[in-house]
Amino acid sequence: MGLLDRLRQGGTPADWDALAARVPYGRFLGISVVPQADGGFLTRLAFDEKLIGNTVLPALHGGVIGAFLETAAMFQVLLDTESEHLPKPITLTVAYLRSAGPRETFARATITKQGRRVVSVRVEAWQEDPAKPVATAQGQFLVPSE
Amino acid sequence: MSGSKALELIGEDLQALVAHVPHARAIGLVVVDAQPGQIWLRVPYADFLVGNPETAVIHGGVITTLLDNGGGAAVMTALDELRAVATLDLRIDYMKPATPGRDILGHCHCHKVTRHVAFVRGTAYHDTPDDPIATAAMTFMVGANRTLPGLVRGA
């Protein structure tokens, strides 16, 4: 059984690490995947100085937040579809709601519509309190045909 | 807008527009040119920026960083005083995958500044903006907080 099939059935911590390791820029940013008791997962961005955009506040770079939301959405599409390949982003709209401080950030993605070729995803990112998102995004992804 | 305070301060050291941003340094972002309200940048190709190892195409998030950072810098160069700038909203459309091994260029144009909000269009490309990898529409809060852009000379 392949990695994605194992993950779709729960997976081991090593399987989830292997999923995060698939994306080099995600590894560079410090993105990992945290399985949840309900069978779903959160995507986590560890804090590192190199992720800062504004050193005075300090706050994470808006581009890093965008990349994190996009990656979380891609993982969700990968696991919720039958495809063995990472989906391709078509469009992503990010609303920056609060400055993201120098600490870990979490994201949860929800598929809002799954078509045959295009999947629509909503993503929220937060730091200490899920009720206070730092950013939300809506994106459309193309699922490569096999 | 009269003169550009940011451009007046940095003189010929255009790299100072992004040198104070740790993540811009982390991805190797280079300022190619700038004028009031506009900036041209480059991200050198690197393996750690790849999004999909099956294709070796650079991650869309790198292009988001390029255009978001360029957008903020374009707003800075459009203002006649130094003000804090923070991204409010960013929409990015991916038109074609970046070519593996090639640098990505970016152009951002701040085409409107109001009292509190600035509007920017951005394009990422290899050869010419007419053949884009991605385009972005961005809005920024101007005077979003009390921090001022740290324009570090020669950093």
Side-chain angles (χ1 to χ4, degrees):
Chain A
M1 189 162 59
L3 171 66
L4 291 172
D5 289 324
R6 290 202 304 277
L7 290 172
R8 285 166 189 147
Q9 292 174 22
T12 65
D15 290 336
W16 292 95
D17 289 344
L19 174 66
R22 280 198 168 191
V23 182
Y25 183 58
R27 276 205 308 271
F28 175 72
L29 294 179
I31 293 175
S32 57
V33 184
V34 188
Q36 300 292 290
D38 63 2
F41 64 91
L42 299 180
T43 306
R44 175 179 179 268
L45 176 68
F47 173 69
D48 190 279
E49 295 288 339
K50 69 173 184 278
L51 307 183
I52 293 283
N54 181 325
T55 51
V56 184
L57 286 174
L60 298 185
H61 197 291
V64 170
I65 296 289
F68 175 54
L69 291 165
E70 183 177 311
T71 305
M74 282 167 67
F75 287 156
Q76 194 70 51
V77 174
L78 188 62
L79 289 178
D80 282 13
T81 60
E82 298 297 309
S83 177
E84 291 296 310
H85 303 283
L86 283 168
K88 293 179 178 170
I90 303 167
T91 183
L92 187 78
T93 302
V94 183
Y96 295 92
L97 306 176
R98 295 176 174 84
S99 75
R103 59 190 72 91
E104 64 180 355
T105 312
F106 294 95
R108 186 191 290 276
T110 313
I111 307 266
T112 45
K113 160 87 179 8
Q114 185 173 330
R116 213 162 51 81
R117 297 300 308 277
V118 176
V119 182
S120 184
V121 191
R122 193 181 151 71
V123 201
E124 284 203 1
W126 68 91
Q127 294 193 315
E128 284 143 320
D129 183 356
K132 290 183 176 169
V134 294
T136 60
Q138 179 74 47
Q140 311 269 358
F141 294 80
L142 193 64
V143 180
S145 44
E146 299 302 320
Chain B
M1 54 187 91
S2 46
S4 166
K5 185 67 177 178
L7 290 176
E8 180 192 314
L9 277 173
I10 62 173
E12 291 183 3
D13 180 17
L14 298 179
Q15 188 64 26
L17 288 168
V18 304
H20 59 283
V21 179
H23 193 64
R25 288 201 301 268
I27 67 165
L29 189 63
V30 176
V31 178
V32 176
D33 199 4
Q35 60 187 56
Q38 293 195 73
I39 188 166
W40 289 262
L41 314 109
R42 178 165 60 85
V43 183
Y45 184 86
D47 291 338
F48 72 91
L49 299 179
V50 165
N52 185 342
E54 291 174 32
T55 59
V57 170
I58 285 192
H59 196 293
V62 175
I63 301 174
T64 304
T65 296
L66 162 70
L67 295 178
D68 175 52
N69 211 138
V75 176
M76 263 166 48
T77 65
L79 302 173
D80 54 16
E81 57 179 335
L82 288 187
R83 308 279 303 276
V85 172
T87 320
L88 196 56
D89 194 276
L90 178 149
R91 177 198 165 108
I92 183 160
D93 295 321
Y94 297 104
M95 279 140 198
K96 65 168 190 183
T99 305
R102 296 196 67 186
D103 295 359
I104 297 177
L105 305 179
H107 172 233
C108 290
H109 180 201
C110 175
H111 54 92
K112 177 71 183 173
V113 181
T114 69
R115 229 169 100 86
H116 300 293
V117 182
F119 298 84
V120 180
R121 294 191 196 102
T123 309
Y125 55 95
H126 286 309
D127 297 306
T128 153
D130 298 338
D131 184 17
I133 298 163
T135 62
M138 300 166 266
T139 53
F140 292 85
M141 280 300 291
V142 179
N145 50 63
R146 272 182 272 173
T147 68
L148 289 178
L151 297 176
V152 186
R153 265 173 187 275

